[in-house]
Amino acid sequence: MKNVYRLPNRVIQAVGLACVPLHEIGSDAPLARRPVAAAVATVTQRDDGHVDVVATRLSDARDLEFPLPHLLDRALMPGSMIIVSAADRATLAADAMARRFFVEPRLARVVDGTDTVEPVASILANPADEAQLCRRLGIPIDSSSDKEVERIWSRHAPEPVEAIALGRAVSRLMLWAHIASFRTASPEPFFETMLPLREWMDGQGEAAPTIYGWATSRPMMRAASFAGTYRDYRRRVAAGDTDAAWVSFEENLLHT
């Protein structure tokens, strides 16, 4: 069956960072941290409605000729919707400007807030509580501090820090799916994101063991439990059933 539902954007990208503290500045502000690794989780919806998930890990150690802002700029797709926090945008801006000799037009648009979404800004008075909201919703999140990242960061072995950045990008994508469905009062953003994401997680046993484990997290299991109900609802909508409606908990759908 062709999926007639369309995500808010055909390409959605969530950005996550792993940073080390800049001790000479001496604060916890976004400008007092330097990103050493980044990750981009990309959700792409095809013409037939099928959704693909791809993850990209980045760090200066991958190619010493190109600094992280330049690598991140190349990973961002034109026309995509970028999910990123204001704090991370400030961190990326400071790092890119400190490099001086590279031009990053896509990253500049992200830093400027163009085509970006900070999902928690519409829910929380203090967007810095993004991690707290993830915990409240049961969304797995990597809580490593900048000092912990600094302790394990190595250009010769960047994989552990890149994994932290990837975890943050995936958590941010899951958070967006929750908030987008809540704000539109519809199940589509949640299921059309979470189900493909869970399928992708199931294939990450060797490449990203932590992410693989997240496939059994509470939000993912909830999406899987209601997948059949959701697909039946989508079939009715696709068939033109004007009475089709997503069944609510008040209508005796058991909460799992």
Side-chain angles (χ1 to χ4, degrees):
M1 180 189 71
K2 183 176 181 179
N3 185 356
V4 297
Y5 172 75
R6 288 287 175 260
L7 289 168
N9 198 294
R10 297 293 288 273
V11 181
I12 300 172
Q13 296 188 292
V15 176
L17 298 181
C19 302
V20 297
L22 294 175
H23 298 287
E24 62 272 20
I25 297 180
S27 77
D28 295 326
L31 299 184
R33 51 204 309 255
R34 179 174 65 85
V36 292
V40 181
T42 302
V43 173
T44 306
Q45 189 172 42
R46 303 179 198 167
D47 291 338
D48 63 359
H50 182 82
V51 175
D52 297 307
V53 178
V54 177
T56 304
R57 308 184 193 199
L58 308 162
S59 70
D60 288 356
R62 287 299 181 203
D63 189 336
L64 296 180
E65 292 185 8
F66 296 104
L68 185 60
H70 184 71
L71 296 174
L72 181 56
D73 183 78
R74 294 195 303 185
L76 299 175
M77 299 176 63
S80 62
M81 183 180 80
I82 310 294
I83 304 170
V84 64
S85 69
D88 280 0
R89 283 165 45 204
T91 298
L92 288 168
D95 195 55
M97 289 186 290
R99 308 285 187 155
R100 293 176 181 259
F101 300 112
F102 287 83
V103 177
E104 296 89 23
R106 295 174 195 166
L107 183 59
R109 287 174 60 84
V110 169
V111 167
D112 190 49
T114 306
D115 300 328
T116 63
V117 174
E118 186 179 6
V120 298
S122 61
I123 301 295
L124 299 175
N126 181 12
D129 292 334
E130 180 184 52
Q132 195 173 44
L133 181 57
C134 281
R135 295 187 186 97
R136 176 66 180 82
L137 298 177
I139 297 173
I141 188 169
D142 190 294
S143 58
S144 303
S145 67
D146 289 352
K147 290 183 179 179
E148 290 174 315
V149 172
E150 183 181 39
R151 180 176 57 81
I152 64 175
W153 164 241
S154 170
R155 290 189 181 277
H156 302 293
E159 290 81 7
V161 172
E162 291 177 350
I164 291 174
L166 177 59
R168 290 172 178 172
V170 172
S171 295
R172 194 162 279 165
L173 184 59
M174 293 172 67
L175 181 59
W176 172 84
H178 282 72
I179 294 177
S181 271
F182 175 74
R183 293 191 67 194
T184 60
S186 61
E188 285 87 351
F190 178 82
F191 285 98
E192 297 296 338
T193 303
M194 296 289 281
L195 292 177
L197 191 57
R198 186 172 188 266
E199 183 179 352
W200 170 79
M201 286 178 176
D202 281 338
Q204 299 302 305
E206 294 184 7
T210 299
I211 299 296
Y212 172 75
W214 288 4
T216 58
S217 64
R218 181 175 177 270
M220 286 298 179
M221 295 303 290
R222 189 168 70 247
S225 296
F226 294 124
T229 305
Y230 172 72
R231 291 189 179 109
D232 180 65
Y233 159 76
R234 288 304 315 166
R235 277 192 291 269
R236 292 178 61 190
V237 171
D241 186 347
T242 57
D243 294 325
W246 176 243
V247 181
S248 69
F249 293 124
E250 290 79 7
E251 294 169 311
N252 298 320
L253 183 63
L254 296 178
H255 181 72
T256 61

